[in-house]
Amino acid sequence: MPIVDALKALGNDRRLLILEWLKAPRAHFREQVDGDLVDDGVCAVLIAEKLGVSQPTLSEHMRVLVGAGLVTPKRIKQWTFYRRDEAAIAALKAAIAKEV
């Protein structure tokens, strides 16, 4: 994952909020019908609801986060669930520390 892509993804307040919420999903989201909040990730519907945005707007934010390698998607039935990629985030932190 290029550092520039990740930094661009992190350059948006809403995406930073999403990453913060996904760090502790049980503290920020209600239980969902399908999938475990921690093991499977948080349903896009719940993230959009909490963020106060439409599904298409959320989809764009998540596309950027997934593209930057910070979040991984998982399909369950017709829904998409998202979790932080902690290994990728740790690698990004190390790369930034090395470069800066």
Side-chain angles (χ1 to χ4, degrees):
M1 143 193 48
I3 293 175
V4 173
D5 292 342
L7 292 176
K8 285 180 183 176
L10 296 173
N12 179 284
D13 290 342
R14 287 184 171 173
R15 289 194 283 271
L16 285 172
L17 255 180
I18 292 167
L19 284 173
E20 179 184 328
W21 293 338
L22 292 179
K23 195 173 194 174
R26 291 196 201 288
H28 295 285
F29 296 97
R30 61 181 165 81
E31 284 300 315
Q32 46 198 17
V33 175
D34 293 307
D36 180 78
L37 286 169
V38 174
D39 295 335
D40 299 311
V42 179
C43 182
V45 172
L46 295 183
I47 300 169
E49 181 182 280
K50 185 168 180 77
L51 200 56
V53 298
S54 67
Q55 278 296 133
T57 299
L58 180 76
S59 291
E60 178 60 18
H61 285 305
M62 299 316 291
R63 184 191 67 74
V64 172
L65 289 170
V66 169
L70 301 172
V71 173
T72 57
K74 179 179 184 177
R75 293 288 292 182
I76 298 177
K77 297 181 181 175
Q78 73 270 28
W79 312 108
T80 304
F81 295 74
Y82 295 96
R83 314 176 39 206
R84 287 167 51 111
D85 185 333
E86 296 299 342
I89 291 170
L92 173 64
K93 288 177 181 179
I96 290 171
K98 180 181 170 192
E99 295 294 325
V100 178

mmCIF file with all atom_site columns, all heavy atoms in Angstrom, residues 17-43:
data_model
loop_
_atom_site.group_PDB
_atom_site.id
_atom_site.type_symbol
_atom_site.label_atom_id
_atom_site.label_alt_id
_atom_site.label_comp_id
_atom_site.label_asym_id
_atom_site.label_entity_id
_atom_site.label_seq_id
_atom_site.pdbx_PDB_ins_code
_atom_site.Cartn_x
_atom_site.Cartn_y
_atom_site.Cartn_z
_atom_site.occupancy
_atom_site.B_iso_or_equiv
_atom_site.pdbx_formal_charge
_atom_site.auth_seq_id
_atom_site.auth_comp_id
_atom_site.auth_asym_id
_atom_site.auth_atom_id
_atom_site.pdbx_PDB_model_num
ATOM 1   N N   . LEU A 1 17 ? -13.223 9.229   11.350 1.00 0.00 ? 17 LEU A N   1
ATOM 2   C CA  . LEU A 1 17 ? -14.258 8.818   12.306 1.00 0.00 ? 17 LEU A CA  1
ATOM 3   C C   . LEU A 1 17 ? -14.615 7.349   12.118 1.00 0.00 ? 17 LEU A C   1
ATOM 4   O O   . LEU A 1 17 ? -14.735 6.602   13.093 1.00 0.00 ? 17 LEU A O   1
ATOM 5   C CB  . LEU A 1 17 ? -15.525 9.654   12.087 1.00 0.00 ? 17 LEU A CB  1
ATOM 6   C CG  . LEU A 1 17 ? -15.856 10.743  13.074 1.00 0.00 ? 17 LEU A CG  1
ATOM 7   C CD1 . LEU A 1 17 ? -17.145 11.446  12.686 1.00 0.00 ? 17 LEU A CD1 1
ATOM 8   C CD2 . LEU A 1 17 ? -15.905 10.254  14.487 1.00 0.00 ? 17 LEU A CD2 1
ATOM 9   N N   . ILE A 1 18 ? -14.797 6.938   10.873 1.00 0.00 ? 18 ILE A N   1
ATOM 10  C CA  . ILE A 1 18 ? -15.127 5.540   10.586 1.00 0.00 ? 18 ILE A CA  1
ATOM 11  C C   . ILE A 1 18 ? -14.047 4.626   11.149 1.00 0.00 ? 18 ILE A C   1
ATOM 12  O O   . ILE A 1 18 ? -14.346 3.635   11.822 1.00 0.00 ? 18 ILE A O   1
ATOM 13  C CB  . ILE A 1 18 ? -15.313 5.320   9.070  1.00 0.00 ? 18 ILE A CB  1
ATOM 14  C CG1 . ILE A 1 18 ? -16.562 6.051   8.571  1.00 0.00 ? 18 ILE A CG1 1
ATOM 15  C CG2 . ILE A 1 18 ? -15.399 3.825   8.754  1.00 0.00 ? 18 ILE A CG2 1
ATOM 16  C CD1 . ILE A 1 18 ? -16.661 6.156   7.054  1.00 0.00 ? 18 ILE A CD1 1
ATOM 17  N N   . LEU A 1 19 ? -12.780 4.960   10.892 1.00 0.00 ? 19 LEU A N   1
ATOM 18  C CA  . LEU A 1 19 ? -11.684 4.130   11.420 1.00 0.00 ? 19 LEU A CA  1
ATOM 19  C C   . LEU A 1 19 ? -11.691 4.101   12.947 1.00 0.00 ? 19 LEU A C   1
ATOM 20  O O   . LEU A 1 19 ? -11.441 3.064   13.554 1.00 0.00 ? 19 LEU A O   1
ATOM 21  C CB  . LEU A 1 19 ? -10.341 4.637   10.908 1.00 0.00 ? 19 LEU A CB  1
ATOM 22  C CG  . LEU A 1 19 ? -10.014 4.285   9.457  1.00 0.00 ? 19 LEU A CG  1
ATOM 23  C CD1 . LEU A 1 19 ? -8.741  4.983   9.016  1.00 0.00 ? 19 LEU A CD1 1
ATOM 24  C CD2 . LEU A 1 19 ? -9.897  2.789   9.284  1.00 0.00 ? 19 LEU A CD2 1
ATOM 25  N N   . GLU A 1 20 ? -11.981 5.233   13.557 1.00 0.00 ? 20 GLU A N   1
ATOM 26  C CA  . GLU A 1 20 ? -12.041 5.285   15.026 1.00 0.00 ? 20 GLU A CA  1
ATOM 27  C C   . GLU A 1 20 ? -13.161 4.382   15.532 1.00 0.00 ? 20 GLU A C   1
ATOM 28  O O   . GLU A 1 20 ? -12.971 3.608   16.467 1.00 0.00 ? 20 GLU A O   1
ATOM 29  C CB  . GLU A 1 20 ? -12.274 6.731   15.481 1.00 0.00 ? 20 GLU A CB  1
ATOM 30  C CG  . GLU A 1 20 ? -12.367 6.880   16.980 1.00 0.00 ? 20 GLU A CG  1
ATOM 31  C CD  . GLU A 1 20 ? -12.705 8.305   17.407 1.00 0.00 ? 20 GLU A CD  1
ATOM 32  O OE1 . GLU A 1 20 ? -12.304 9.245   16.704 1.00 0.00 ? 20 GLU A OE1 1
ATOM 33  O OE2 . GLU A 1 20 ? -13.369 8.458   18.443 1.00 0.00 ? 20 GLU A OE2 1
ATOM 34  N N   . TRP A 1 21 ? -14.335 4.475   14.928 1.00 0.00 ? 21 TRP A N   1
ATOM 35  C CA  . TRP A 1 21 ? -15.463 3.648   15.354 1.00 0.00 ? 21 TRP A CA  1
ATOM 36  C C   . TRP A 1 21 ? -15.176 2.167   15.156 1.00 0.00 ? 21 TRP A C   1
ATOM 37  O O   . TRP A 1 21 ? -15.547 1.341   15.988 1.00 0.00 ? 21 TRP A O   1
ATOM 38  C CB  . TRP A 1 21 ? -16.723 4.025   14.583 1.00 0.00 ? 21 TRP A CB  1
ATOM 39  C CG  . TRP A 1 21 ? -17.260 5.393   14.874 1.00 0.00 ? 21 TRP A CG  1
ATOM 40  C CD1 . TRP A 1 21 ? -17.032 6.151   15.998 1.00 0.00 ? 21 TRP A CD1 1
ATOM 41  C CD2 . TRP A 1 21 ? -18.103 6.176   14.036 1.00 0.00 ? 21 TRP A CD2 1
ATOM 42  N NE1 . TRP A 1 21 ? -17.689 7.354   15.897 1.00 0.00 ? 21 TRP A NE1 1
ATOM 43  C CE2 . TRP A 1 21 ? -18.352 7.395   14.713 1.00 0.00 ? 21 TRP A CE2 1
ATOM 44  C CE3 . TRP A 1 21 ? -18.661 5.975   12.789 1.00 0.00 ? 21 TRP A CE3 1
ATOM 45  C CZ2 . TRP A 1 21 ? -19.158 8.394   14.169 1.00 0.00 ? 21 TRP A CZ2 1
ATOM 46  C CZ3 . TRP A 1 21 ? -19.463 6.968   12.244 1.00 0.00 ? 21 TRP A CZ3 1
ATOM 47  C CH2 . TRP A 1 21 ? -19.699 8.162   12.936 1.00 0.00 ? 21 TRP A CH2 1
ATOM 48  N N   . LEU A 1 22 ? -14.530 1.820   14.042 1.00 0.00 ? 22 LEU A N   1
ATOM 49  C CA  . LEU A 1 22 ? -14.251 0.413   13.768 1.00 0.00 ? 22 LEU A CA  1
ATOM 50  C C   . LEU A 1 22 ? -13.189 -0.166  14.694 1.00 0.00 ? 22 LEU A C   1
ATOM 51  O O   . LEU A 1 22 ? -13.064 -1.380  14.815 1.00 0.00 ? 22 LEU A O   1
ATOM 52  C CB  . LEU A 1 22 ? -13.825 0.225   12.299 1.00 0.00 ? 22 LEU A CB  1
ATOM 53  C CG  . LEU A 1 22 ? -14.911 0.474   11.258 1.00 0.00 ? 22 LEU A CG  1
ATOM 54  C CD1 . LEU A 1 22 ? -14.347 0.277   9.858  1.00 0.00 ? 22 LEU A CD1 1
ATOM 55  C CD2 . LEU A 1 22 ? -16.129 -0.405  11.480 1.00 0.00 ? 22 LEU A CD2 1
ATOM 56  N N   . LYS A 1 23 ? -12.461 0.701   15.374 1.00 0.00 ? 23 LYS A N   1
ATOM 57  C CA  . LYS A 1 23 ? -11.458 0.230   16.338 1.00 0.00 ? 23 LYS A CA  1
ATOM 58  C C   . LYS A 1 23 ? -12.131 -0.463  17.520 1.00 0.00 ? 23 LYS A C   1
ATOM 59  O O   . LYS A 1 23 ? -11.611 -1.431  18.063 1.00 0.00 ? 23 LYS A O   1
ATOM 60  C CB  . LYS A 1 23 ? -10.618 1.416   16.823 1.00 0.00 ? 23 LYS A CB  1
ATOM 61  C CG  . LYS A 1 23 ? -9.348  1.026   17.519 1.00 0.00 ? 23 LYS A CG  1
ATOM 62  C CD  . LYS A 1 23 ? -8.514  2.258   17.802 1.00 0.00 ? 23 LYS A CD  1
ATOM 63  C CE  . LYS A 1 23 ? -7.115  1.889   18.174 1.00 0.00 ? 23 LYS A CE  1
ATOM 64  N NZ  . LYS A 1 23 ? -6.268  3.064   18.316 1.00 0.00 ? 23 LYS A NZ  1
ATOM 65  N N   . ALA A 1 24 ? -13.294 0.037   17.914 1.00 0.00 ? 24 ALA A N   1
ATOM 66  C CA  . ALA A 1 24 ? -14.066 -0.557  19.014 1.00 0.00 ? 24 ALA A CA  1
ATOM 67  C C   . ALA A 1 24 ? -15.533 -0.633  18.583 1.00 0.00 ? 24 ALA A C   1
ATOM 68  O O   . ALA A 1 24 ? -16.374 0.140   19.046 1.00 0.00 ? 24 ALA A O   1
ATOM 69  C CB  . ALA A 1 24 ? -13.918 0.278   20.279 1.00 0.00 ? 24 ALA A CB  1
ATOM 70  N N   . PRO A 1 25 ? -15.861 -1.554  17.693 1.00 0.00 ? 25 PRO A N   1
ATOM 71  C CA  . PRO A 1 25 ? -17.209 -1.572  17.118 1.00 0.00 ? 25 PRO A CA  1
ATOM 72  C C   . PRO A 1 25 ? -18.340 -1.798  18.118 1.00 0.00 ? 25 PRO A C   1
ATOM 73  O O   . PRO A 1 25 ? -19.408 -1.208  17.979 1.00 0.00 ? 25 PRO A O   1
ATOM 74  C CB  . PRO A 1 25 ? -17.154 -2.693  16.081 1.00 0.00 ? 25 PRO A CB  1
ATOM 75  C CG  . PRO A 1 25 ? -15.962 -3.507  16.436 1.00 0.00 ? 25 PRO A CG  1
ATOM 76  C CD  . PRO A 1 25 ? -15.013 -2.589  17.133 1.00 0.00 ? 25 PRO A CD  1
ATOM 77  N N   . ARG A 1 26 ? -18.095 -2.600  19.146 1.00 0.00 ? 26 ARG A N   1
ATOM 78  C CA  . ARG A 1 26 ? -19.167 -2.839  20.132 1.00 0.00 ? 26 ARG A CA  1
ATOM 79  C C   . ARG A 1 26 ? -19.515 -1.570  20.911 1.00 0.00 ? 26 ARG A C   1
ATOM 80  O O   . ARG A 1 26 ? -20.640 -1.405  21.364 1.00 0.00 ? 26 ARG A O   1
ATOM 81  C CB  . ARG A 1 26 ? -18.767 -3.947  21.092 1.00 0.00 ? 26 ARG A CB  1
ATOM 82  C CG  . ARG A 1 26 ? -18.709 -5.307  20.436 1.00 0.00 ? 26 ARG A CG  1
ATOM 83  C CD  . ARG A 1 26 ? -18.695 -6.433  21.451 1.00 0.00 ? 26 ARG A CD  1
ATOM 84  N NE  . ARG A 1 26 ? -18.171 -7.665  20.909 1.00 0.00 ? 26 ARG A NE  1
ATOM 85  C CZ  . ARG A 1 26 ? -18.794 -8.439  20.026 1.00 0.00 ? 26 ARG A CZ  1
ATOM 86  N NH1 . ARG A 1 26 ? -19.958 -8.092  19.578 1.00 0.00 ? 26 ARG A NH1 1
ATOM 87  N NH2 . ARG A 1 26 ? -18.240 -9.549  19.596 1.00 0.00 ? 26 ARG A NH2 1
ATOM 88  N N   . ALA A 1 27 ? -18.557 -0.678  21.057 1.00 0.00 ? 27 ALA A N   1
ATOM 89  C CA  . ALA A 1 27 ? -18.799 0.572   21.783 1.00 0.00 ? 27 ALA A CA  1
ATOM 90  C C   . ALA A 1 27 ? -19.535 1.593   20.927 1.00 0.00 ? 27 ALA A C   1
ATOM 91  O O   . ALA A 1 27 ? -20.152 2.518   21.467 1.00 0.00 ? 27 ALA A O   1
ATOM 92  C CB  . ALA A 1 27 ? -17.469 1.166   22.246 1.00 0.00 ? 27 ALA A CB  1
ATOM 93  N N   . HIS A 1 28 ? -19.496 1.430   19.612 1.00 0.00 ? 28 HIS A N   1
ATOM 94  C CA  . HIS A 1 28 ? -20.042 2.466   18.730 1.00 0.00 ? 28 HIS A CA  1
ATOM 95  C C   . HIS A 1 28 ? -21.250 2.043   17.908 1.00 0.00 ? 28 HIS A C   1
ATOM 96  O O   . HIS A 1 28 ? -21.930 2.900   17.348 1.00 0.00 ? 28 HIS A O   1
ATOM 97  C CB  . HIS A 1 28 ? -18.943 2.958   17.781 1.00 0.00 ? 28 HIS A CB  1
ATOM 98  C CG  . HIS A 1 28 ? -17.836 3.642   18.495 1.00 0.00 ? 28 HIS A CG  1
ATOM 99  N ND1 . HIS A 1 28 ? -17.946 4.916   19.000 1.00 0.00 ? 28 HIS A ND1 1
ATOM 100 C CD2 . HIS A 1 28 ? -16.595 3.223   18.821 1.00 0.00 ? 28 HIS A CD2 1
ATOM 101 C CE1 . HIS A 1 28 ? -16.825 5.258   19.591 1.00 0.00 ? 28 HIS A CE1 1
ATOM 102 N NE2 . HIS A 1 28 ? -15.986 4.241   19.510 1.00 0.00 ? 28 HIS A NE2 1
ATOM 103 N N   . PHE A 1 29 ? -21.525 0.738   17.826 1.00 0.00 ? 29 PHE A N   1
ATOM 104 C CA  . PHE A 1 29 ? -22.625 0.283   16.980 1.00 0.00 ? 29 PHE A CA  1
ATOM 105 C C   . PHE A 1 29 ? -23.518 -0.676  17.742 1.00 0.00 ? 29 PHE A C   1
ATOM 106 O O   . PHE A 1 29 ? -23.048 -1.436  18.579 1.00 0.00 ? 29 PHE A O   1
ATOM 107 C CB  . PHE A 1 29 ? -22.083 -0.427  15.726 1.00 0.00 ? 29 PHE A CB  1
ATOM 108 C CG  . PHE A 1 29 ? -21.285 0.479   14.831 1.00 0.00 ? 29 PHE A CG  1
ATOM 109 C CD1 . PHE A 1 29 ? -19.903 0.498   14.917 1.00 0.00 ? 29 PHE A CD1 1
ATOM 110 C CD2 . PHE A 1 29 ? -21.914 1.325   13.938 1.00 0.00 ? 29 PHE A CD2 1
ATOM 111 C CE1 . PHE A 1 29 ? -19.152 1.336   14.100 1.00 0.00 ? 29 PHE A CE1 1
ATOM 112 C CE2 . PHE A 1 29 ? -21.176 2.170   13.122 1.00 0.00 ? 29 PHE A CE2 1
ATOM 113 C CZ  . PHE A 1 29 ? -19.795 2.184   13.204 1.00 0.00 ? 29 PHE A CZ  1
ATOM 114 N N   . ARG A 1 30 ? -24.800 -0.661  17.383 1.00 0.00 ? 30 ARG A N   1
ATOM 115 C CA  . ARG A 1 30 ? -25.750 -1.606  17.977 1.00 0.00 ? 30 ARG A CA  1
ATOM 116 C C   . ARG A 1 30 ? -25.510 -2.980  17.366 1.00 0.00 ? 30 ARG A C   1
ATOM 117 O O   . ARG A 1 30 ? -24.885 -3.103  16.308 1.00 0.00 ? 30 ARG A O   1
ATOM 118 C CB  . ARG A 1 30 ? -27.176 -1.142  17.736 1.00 0.00 ? 30 ARG A CB  1
ATOM 119 C CG  . ARG A 1 30 ? -27.578 -1.028  16.281 1.00 0.00 ? 30 ARG A CG  1
ATOM 120 C CD  . ARG A 1 30 ? -29.030 -0.528  16.146 1.00 0.00 ? 30 ARG A CD  1
ATOM 121 N NE  . ARG A 1 30 ? -29.325 -0.072  14.807 1.00 0.00 ? 30 ARG A NE  1
ATOM 122 C CZ  . ARG A 1 30 ? -29.642 -0.870  13.780 1.00 0.00 ? 30 ARG A CZ  1
ATOM 123 N NH1 . ARG A 1 30 ? -29.693 -2.178  13.951 1.00 0.00 ? 30 ARG A NH1 1
ATOM 124 N NH2 . ARG A 1 30 ? -29.911 -0.371  12.592 1.00 0.00 ? 30 ARG A NH2 1
ATOM 125 N N   . GLU A 1 31 ? -25.988 -4.001  18.035 1.00 0.00 ? 31 GLU A N   1
ATOM 126 C CA  . GLU A 1 31 ? -25.848 -5.358  17.506 1.00 0.00 ? 31 GLU A CA  1
ATOM 127 C C   . GLU A 1 31 ? -26.566 -5.437  16.157 1.00 0.00 ? 31 GLU A C   1
ATOM 128 O O   . GLU A 1 31 ? -27.567 -4.774  15.937 1.00 0.00 ? 31 GLU A O   1
ATOM 129 C CB  . GLU A 1 31 ? -26.431 -6.385  18.472 1.00 0.00 ? 31 GLU A CB  1
ATOM 130 C CG  . GLU A 1 31 ? -25.537 -6.662  19.664 1.00 0.00 ? 31 GLU A CG  1
ATOM 131 C CD  . GLU A 1 31 ? -24.157 -7.195  19.279 1.00 0.00 ? 31 GLU A CD  1
ATOM 132 O OE1 . GLU A 1 31 ? -24.057 -8.094  18.427 1.00 0.00 ? 31 GLU A OE1 1
ATOM 133 O OE2 . GLU A 1 31 ? -23.179 -6.699  19.848 1.00 0.00 ? 31 GLU A OE2 1
ATOM 134 N N   . GLN A 1 32 ? -26.037 -6.282  15.286 1.00 0.00 ? 32 GLN A N   1
ATOM 135 C CA  . GLN A 1 32 ? -26.639 -6.433  13.965 1.00 0.00 ? 32 GLN A CA  1
ATOM 136 C C   . GLN A 1 32 ? -27.196 -7.840  13.815 1.00 0.00 ? 32 GLN A C   1
ATOM 137 O O   . GLN A 1 32 ? -26.791 -8.750  14.530 1.00 0.00 ? 32 GLN A O   1
ATOM 138 C CB  . GLN A 1 32 ? -25.607 -6.111  12.883 1.00 0.00 ? 32 GLN A CB  1
ATOM 139 C CG  . GLN A 1 32 ? -24.269 -6.760  13.099 1.00 0.00 ? 32 GLN A CG  1
ATOM 140 C CD  . GLN A 1 32 ? -23.140 -6.125  12.300 1.00 0.00 ? 32 GLN A CD  1
ATOM 141 O OE1 . GLN A 1 32 ? -23.236 -5.015  11.809 1.00 0.00 ? 32 GLN A OE1 1
ATOM 142 N NE2 . GLN A 1 32 ? -22.062 -6.856  12.179 1.00 0.00 ? 32 GLN A NE2 1
ATOM 143 N N   . VAL A 1 33 ? -28.137 -7.995  12.888 1.00 0.00 ? 33 VAL A N   1
ATOM 144 C CA  . VAL A 1 33 ? -28.809 -9.279  12.696 1.00 0.00 ? 33 VAL A CA  1
ATOM 145 C C   . VAL A 1 33 ? -27.832 -10.333 12.183 1.00 0.00 ? 33 VAL A C   1
ATOM 146 O O   . VAL A 1 33 ? -27.753 -11.436 12.702 1.00 0.00 ? 33 VAL A O   1
ATOM 147 C CB  . VAL A 1 33 ? -29.998 -9.131  11.718 1.00 0.00 ? 33 VAL A CB  1
ATOM 148 C CG1 . VAL A 1 33 ? -30.630 -10.478 11.424 1.00 0.00 ? 33 VAL A CG1 1
ATOM 149 C CG2 . VAL A 1 33 ? -31.027 -8.167  12.292 1.00 0.00 ? 33 VAL A CG2 1
ATOM 150 N N   . ASP A 1 34 ? -27.083 -9.985  11.144 1.00 0.00 ? 34 ASP A N   1
ATOM 151 C CA  . ASP A 1 34 ? -26.117 -10.924 10.559 1.00 0.00 ? 34 ASP A CA  1
ATOM 152 C C   . ASP A 1 34 ? -24.711 -10.469 10.893 1.00 0.00 ? 34 ASP A C   1
ATOM 153 O O   . ASP A 1 34 ? -24.419 -9.283  10.921 1.00 0.00 ? 34 ASP A O   1
ATOM 154 C CB  . ASP A 1 34 ? -26.273 -10.977 9.031  1.00 0.00 ? 34 ASP A CB  1
ATOM 155 C CG  . ASP A 1 34 ? -27.587 -11.576 8.608  1.00 0.00 ? 34 ASP A CG  1
ATOM 156 O OD1 . ASP A 1 34 ? -27.899 -12.695 9.072  1.00 0.00 ? 34 ASP A OD1 1
ATOM 157 O OD2 . ASP A 1 34 ? -28.316 -10.941 7.817  1.00 0.00 ? 34 ASP A OD2 1
ATOM 158 N N   . GLY A 1 35 ? -23.837 -11.411 11.124 1.00 0.00 ? 35 GLY A N   1
ATOM 159 C CA  . GLY A 1 35 ? -22.433 -11.096 11.350 1.00 0.00 ? 35 GLY A CA  1
ATOM 160 C C   . GLY A 1 35 ? -22.131 -10.541 12.725 1.00 0.00 ? 35 GLY A C   1
ATOM 161 O O   . GLY A 1 35 ? -22.920 -9.812  13.304 1.00 0.00 ? 35 GLY A O   1
ATOM 162 N N   . ASP A 1 36 ? -20.965 -10.906 13.226 1.00 0.00 ? 36 ASP A N   1
ATOM 163 C CA  . ASP A 1 36 ? -20.486 -10.401 14.510 1.00 0.00 ? 36 ASP A CA  1
ATOM 164 C C   . ASP A 1 36 ? -19.742 -9.086  14.279 1.00 0.00 ? 36 ASP A C   1
ATOM 165 O O   . ASP A 1 36 ? -18.941 -8.979  13.347 1.00 0.00 ? 36 ASP A O   1
ATOM 166 C CB  . ASP A 1 36 ? -19.540 -11.428 15.139 1.00 0.00 ? 36 ASP A CB  1
ATOM 167 C CG  . ASP A 1 36 ? -19.000 -10.958 16.472 1.00 0.00 ? 36 ASP A CG  1
ATOM 168 O OD1 . ASP A 1 36 ? -19.744 -11.041 17.466 1.00 0.00 ? 36 ASP A OD1 1
ATOM 169 O OD2 . ASP A 1 36 ? -17.848 -10.485 16.504 1.00 0.00 ? 36 ASP A OD2 1
ATOM 170 N N   . LEU A 1 37 ? -20.009 -8.089  15.122 1.00 0.00 ? 37 LEU A N   1
ATOM 171 C CA  . LEU A 1 37 ? -19.406 -6.769  14.963 1.00 0.00 ? 37 LEU A CA  1
ATOM 172 C C   . LEU A 1 37 ? -17.881 -6.817  14.911 1.00 0.00 ? 37 LEU A C   1
ATOM 173 O O   . LEU A 1 37 ? -17.255 -6.063  14.167 1.00 0.00 ? 37 LEU A O   1
ATOM 174 C CB  . LEU A 1 37 ? -19.838 -5.837  16.100 1.00 0.00 ? 37 LEU A CB  1
ATOM 175 C CG  . LEU A 1 37 ? -21.266 -5.304  16.043 1.00 0.00 ? 37 LEU A CG  1
ATOM 176 C CD1 . LEU A 1 37 ? -21.621 -4.624  17.363 1.00 0.00 ? 37 LEU A CD1 1
ATOM 177 C CD2 . LEU A 1 37 ? -21.456 -4.363  14.885 1.00 0.00 ? 37 LEU A CD2 1
ATOM 178 N N   . VAL A 1 38 ? -17.272 -7.688  15.713 1.00 0.00 ? 38 VAL A N   1
ATOM 179 C CA  . VAL A 1 38 ? -15.811 -7.758  15.766 1.00 0.00 ? 38 VAL A CA  1
ATOM 180 C C   . VAL A 1 38 ? -15.266 -8.739  14.731 1.00 0.00 ? 38 VAL A C   1
ATOM 181 O O   . VAL A 1 38 ? -14.380 -8.397  13.950 1.00 0.00 ? 38 VAL A O   1
ATOM 182 C CB  . VAL A 1 38 ? -15.332 -8.149  17.185 1.00 0.00 ? 38 VAL A CB  1
ATOM 183 C CG1 . VAL A 1 38 ? -13.827 -8.370  17.208 1.00 0.00 ? 38 VAL A CG1 1
ATOM 184 C CG2 . VAL A 1 38 ? -15.732 -7.069  18.186 1.00 0.00 ? 38 VAL A CG2 1
ATOM 185 N N   . ASP A 1 39 ? -15.791 -9.949  14.707 1.00 0.00 ? 39 ASP A N   1
ATOM 186 C CA  . ASP A 1 39 ? -15.252 -10.989 13.828 1.00 0.00 ? 39 ASP A CA  1
ATOM 187 C C   . ASP A 1 39 ? -15.537 -10.738 12.349 1.00 0.00 ? 39 ASP A C   1
ATOM 188 O O   . ASP A 1 39 ? -14.675 -10.967 11.498 1.00 0.00 ? 39 ASP A O   1
ATOM 189 C CB  . ASP A 1 39 ? -15.804 -12.360 14.210 1.00 0.00 ? 39 ASP A CB  1
ATOM 190 C CG  . ASP A 1 39 ? -15.347 -12.803 15.588 1.00 0.00 ? 39 ASP A CG  1
ATOM 191 O OD1 . ASP A 1 39 ? -14.281 -12.325 16.050 1.00 0.00 ? 39 ASP A OD1 1
ATOM 192 O OD2 . ASP A 1 39 ? -16.044 -13.611 16.217 1.00 0.00 ? 39 ASP A OD2 1
ATOM 193 N N   . ASP A 1 40 ? -16.744 -10.288 12.036 1.00 0.00 ? 40 ASP A N   1
ATOM 194 C CA  . ASP A 1 40 ? -17.139 -10.091 10.640 1.00 0.00 ? 40 ASP A CA  1
ATOM 195 C C   . ASP A 1 40 ? -17.044 -8.647  10.185 1.00 0.00 ? 40 ASP A C   1
ATOM 196 O O   . ASP A 1 40 ? -16.946 -8.366  9.004  1.00 0.00 ? 40 ASP A O   1
ATOM 197 C CB  . ASP A 1 40 ? -18.572 -10.587 10.422 1.00 0.00 ? 40 ASP A CB  1
ATOM 198 C CG  . ASP A 1 40 ? -18.697 -12.072 10.717 1.00 0.00 ? 40 ASP A CG  1
ATOM 199 O OD1 . ASP A 1 40 ? -17.869 -12.840 10.196 1.00 0.00 ? 40 ASP A OD1 1
ATOM 200 O OD2 . ASP A 1 40 ? -19.608 -12.451 11.463 1.00 0.00 ? 40 ASP A OD2 1
ATOM 201 N N   . GLY A 1 41 ? -17.109 -7.719  11.123 1.00 0.00 ? 41 GLY A N   1
ATOM 202 C CA  . GLY A 1 41 ? -17.107 -6.304  10.784 1.00 0.00 ? 41 GLY A CA  1
ATOM 203 C C   . GLY A 1 41 ? -18.477 -5.688  10.972 1.00 0.00 ? 41 GLY A C   1
ATOM 204 O O   . GLY A 1 41 ? -19.434 -6.355  11.361 1.00 0.00 ? 41 GLY A O   1
ATOM 205 N N   . VAL A 1 42 ? -18.563 -4.412  10.672 1.00 0.00 ? 42 VAL A N   1
ATOM 206 C CA  . VAL A 1 42 ? -19.797 -3.647  10.863 1.00 0.00 ? 42 VAL A CA  1
ATOM 207 C C   . VAL A 1 42 ? -20.483 -3.481  9.514  1.00 0.00 ? 42 VAL A C   1
ATOM 208 O O   . VAL A 1 42 ? -19.842 -3.126  8.514  1.00 0.00 ? 42 VAL A O   1
ATOM 209 C CB  . VAL A 1 42 ? -19.499 -2.274  11.488 1.00 0.00 ? 42 VAL A CB  1
ATOM 210 C CG1 . VAL A 1 42 ? -20.770 -1.460  11.660 1.00 0.00 ? 42 VAL A CG1 1
ATOM 211 C CG2 . VAL A 1 42 ? -18.787 -2.442  12.831 1.00 0.00 ? 42 VAL A CG2 1
ATOM 212 N N   . CYS A 1 43 ? -21.777 -3.716  9.489  1.00 0.00 ? 43 CYS A N   1
ATOM 213 C CA  . CYS A 1 43 ? -22.567 -3.576  8.273  1.00 0.00 ? 43 CYS A CA  1
ATOM 214 C C   . CYS A 1 43 ? -22.525 -2.123  7.787  1.00 0.00 ? 43 CYS A C   1
ATOM 215 O O   . CYS A 1 43 ? -22.636 -1.180  8.578  1.00 0.00 ? 43 CYS A O   1
ATOM 216 C CB  . CYS A 1 43 ? -24.005 -3.997  8.537  1.00 0.00 ? 43 CYS A CB  1
ATOM 217 S SG  . CYS A 1 43 ? -25.057 -3.908  7.076  1.00 0.00 ? 43 CYS A SG  1
#
